[in-house]
Amino acid sequence: MLIAVNTVGAFLLGVIVRGFLQGGARMRLFLGVGFCGALTTFSAFALAVAGRLDDGRLVDAAVLASSSVGFGLAAALFGASTRRWVDA
């Protein structure tokens, strides 16, 4: 669930940053930092990784960290690319 929420938040942030949503810089800042910041859960992500490390589950921690970051980057790039599809 944690990875899914962070991936959706990264996608939305990519959309917002590229200016797909109409509105000025303040609106993008509000949605990007406010909404996406509240939606995504870095503290929960860090706690989940740290918990696995504390339990000695190094592989689980590495898989969680790398997949969350990887999916997040891919989703943000995908979200940012949606502007090109809409403008075409």
Side-chain angles (χ1 to χ4, degrees), residues 9-85:
F11 171 79
L12 292 175
L13 190 58
V15 170
I16 291 165
V17 167
R18 291 292 292 177
F20 174 70
L21 299 176
Q22 295 301 317
R26 284 184 164 203
M27 180 57 77
R28 284 196 301 270
L29 185 63
F30 170 76
L31 292 173
V33 175
F35 179 74
C36 290
L39 175 65
T40 59
T41 53
F42 179 76
S43 58
F45 163 73
L47 186 62
V49 172
R52 284 167 175 77
L53 289 172
D54 286 344
D55 292 343
R57 297 173 14 199
L58 302 177
V59 173
D60 286 350
V63 167
L64 176 61
S66 62
S67 62
S68 186
V69 170
F71 285 131
L73 286 172
L77 291 172
F78 182 65
S81 72
T82 57
R83 176 72 183 203
R84 284 180 278 179
W85 297 343

